[in-house]
Amino acid sequence: MNIPVLLQHSHQHLLKGLLRTPFQRYHFTFPSSPYLGSGILCTQPFSSLGFHHTKWLLLSNGVKRKLCVQTTLKEHTEGLSDKEQRFVDKLYTGLIQGQRACLAEAITLIESTHNRKKELAQVLLQKVLAYHREQEQLNKGKPLAFRVGLSGPPGAGKSTFIEYFGKMLTERGHKVSVLAVDPSSCTSGGVGQSEFAVADMVDMFVLLLPPAGGDELQGIKRGIIEMADLVAVTKSDGDLIVPARRIQAEYVSALKLLRKRSKVWRPKVIRISSRSGEGVTEMWDKMKEFQDLMLASGELTARRQKQQKIWMWNLIQESVLDHFRTHPMVREQIPLLEGRVLSGALSPGLAADLLLKAFKDRD
């Protein structure tokens, strides 16, 4: 059994790639944000990733994609040199065997900005996904991993909870992996996009709150509360038991007023202590109850499918915007037009139209 793995990276591309990869383990992910941190946690064995119904032809001058109804792993690897094939096969074998060294090397490959390496990364992810599909079929169609996102303001005790909870899971025979999400913007303050990104990557979103209220929790937006499937009031021990109970009661009432995200699950509010261990076992029981209900109702599958679609369009948007910004005709005009917008000489709408026209007329 592999010991827990801790990954820290700022790029969401890595998270999206890895979280589609069926790690047979529990993945925790959380950022050390000045206002609100996030994270992800899952269970079960190492599997893989990619697009099963997509045929990729890799050529020396770039990548060409062809969509087809059915493909084979052999077709996925067309166009690779012998050296590239051996490299991808080595990483693939290491990943499905749970080798952490190959995981680290695969992360480096996935995060590379080199065009050819990005193409190789996609081939690797596709091979892993094909393997993952086979394993899920052997598992009667059930997911191989349970992904839980953890989020909370500073002082909520996220790191302490992860350590205690992770040890508890490994002692019970589970495999645990931790992914740390990039913290929220230090310029805007409050909650950034990382928490919403995490919520779109996990099966269950858990909000950790310290036993405090008022100004100390104002950094948490209502949207974050609405996304929570479970709220855990931490540090519920010693002199903090009374305020922890008060916060629990307040959030039980607050959640009743928010719209439900699920037809079969109503968000719960519990109290836990990572120091005494109080409530942690019960929290795990709630997580398993959530997983069972969501699986039985089909909502878990639907949520994952929706996430796949969101990730696809997010990647398209990022790629298109990057292509737009870096095009010579646009890049040359951006500083000038931004300056005119800042000075009030040009409206934002007209500036956008001019840049889009420059991009359309680039040929």
Side-chain angles (χ1 to χ4, degrees), residues 45-113:
F46 239 34
S47 303
S48 7
L49 226 296
F51 300 100
H52 185 64
H53 295 297
T54 304
K55 176 178 178 181
W56 295 70
L57 296 179
L58 294 186
L59 307 177
S60 59
N61 63 343
V63 60
K64 293 184 178 179
R65 301 170 179 83
K66 285 187 178 180
L67 293 178
C68 55
V69 177
Q70 290 185 340
T71 60
T72 64
L73 287 178
K74 181 179 179 181
E75 290 174 319
H76 282 316
T77 58
E78 288 183 14
L80 272 65
S81 67
D82 291 341
K83 182 179 180 180
E84 289 172 335
Q85 183 66 64
R86 289 193 299 270
F87 175 63
V88 171
D89 288 345
K90 183 195 76 169
L91 293 183
Y92 167 74
T93 301
L95 284 174
I96 64 175
Q97 291 178 353
Q99 298 177 13
R100 288 183 293 164
C102 287
L103 172 61
E105 198 169 356
I107 291 172
T108 301
L109 177 66
I110 292 171
E111 287 300 296
S112 175
T113 57

Side-chain angles (χ1 to χ4, degrees), residues 166-211:
K167 286 181 178 179
M168 183 191 79
L169 291 176
T170 54
E171 288 172 357
R172 296 187 179 192
H174 298 297
K175 293 183 178 180
V176 179
S177 178
V178 179
L179 287 172
V181 181
D182 189 38
S184 61
S185 171
C186 60
T187 56
S188 62
V191 181
Q193 293 299 313
S194 59
E195 286 73 31
F196 293 95
V198 167
D200 281 332
M201 297 178 189
V202 298
D203 302 323
M204 185 178 196
F205 188 71
V206 178
L207 182 62
L208 301 180
L209 298 177

Side-chain angles (χ1 to χ4, degrees), residues 291-306:
Q291 183 186 30
D292 292 340
L293 287 173
M294 295 292 281
L295 275 173
S297 67
E299 286 190 34
L300 184 60
T301 300
R303 179 175 292 193
R304 287 193 171 193
Q305 290 174 341
K306 181 180 178 181

Side-chain angles (χ1 to χ4, degrees), residues 324 327-334 337 351-363:
F324 175 79
H327 194 277
M329 295 295 292
V330 175
R331 187 175 62 238
E332 294 174 359
Q333 296 190 42
I334 286 178
L337 293 178
D353 288 342
L354 291 173
L355 288 173
L356 288 170
K357 186 177 186 304
F359 182 74
K360 292 177 182 177
D361 296 342
R362 62 192 181 279
D363 296 329

Side-chain angles (χ1 to χ4, degrees), residues 167-323:
K167 286 181 178 179
M168 183 191 79
L169 291 176
T170 54
E171 288 172 357
R172 296 187 179 192
H174 298 297
K175 293 183 178 180
V176 179
S177 178
V178 179
L179 287 172
V181 181
D182 189 38
S184 61
S185 171
C186 60
T187 56
S188 62
V191 181
Q193 293 299 313
S194 59
E195 286 73 31
F196 293 95
V198 167
D200 281 332
M201 297 178 189
V202 298
D203 302 323
M204 185 178 196
F205 188 71
V206 178
L207 182 62
L208 301 180
L209 298 177
D215 295 339
E216 298 178 51
L217 295 181
Q218 283 185 359
I220 302 179
K221 294 183 178 179
R222 175 177 173 176
I224 301 296
I225 307 283
E226 289 180 332
M227 291 190 299
D229 298 302
L230 181 67
V231 176
V233 182
T234 60
K235 304 180 182 181
S236 181
D237 52 56
D239 295 338
L240 295 176
I241 289 182
V242 173
R245 287 174 177 169
R246 185 183 71 251
I247 293 298
Q248 180 186 24
E250 290 178 0
Y251 274 89
V252 167
S253 299
L255 288 173
K256 291 179 180 178
L257 303 176
L258 301 178
R259 60 185 177 86
K260 291 180 60 177
R261 297 181 65 210
S262 168
K263 295 180 180 179
V264 298
W265 175 262
R266 180 176 291 278
K268 308 291 192 300
V269 184
I270 61 174
R271 290 182 293 109
I272 62 171
S273 169
S274 299
R275 184 173 68 176
S276 67
E278 180 185 352
V280 177
T281 298
E282 291 77 8
M283 182 176 182
W284 175 232
D285 291 338
K286 294 293 183 185
M287 290 180 174
K288 291 190 294 184
E289 179 186 354
F290 171 87
Q291 183 186 30
D292 292 340
L293 287 173
M294 295 292 281
L295 275 173
S297 67
E299 286 190 34
L300 184 60
T301 300
R303 179 175 292 193
R304 287 193 171 193
Q305 290 174 341
K306 181 180 178 181
Q307 290 171 348
Q308 295 275 13
K309 182 179 177 180
I310 291 173
W311 296 340
M312 180 189 77
W313 282 107
N314 283 345
L315 290 171
I316 290 174
Q317 289 172 3
E318 292 172 10
S319 179
V320 169
L321 183 60
D322 182 65
H323 183 58

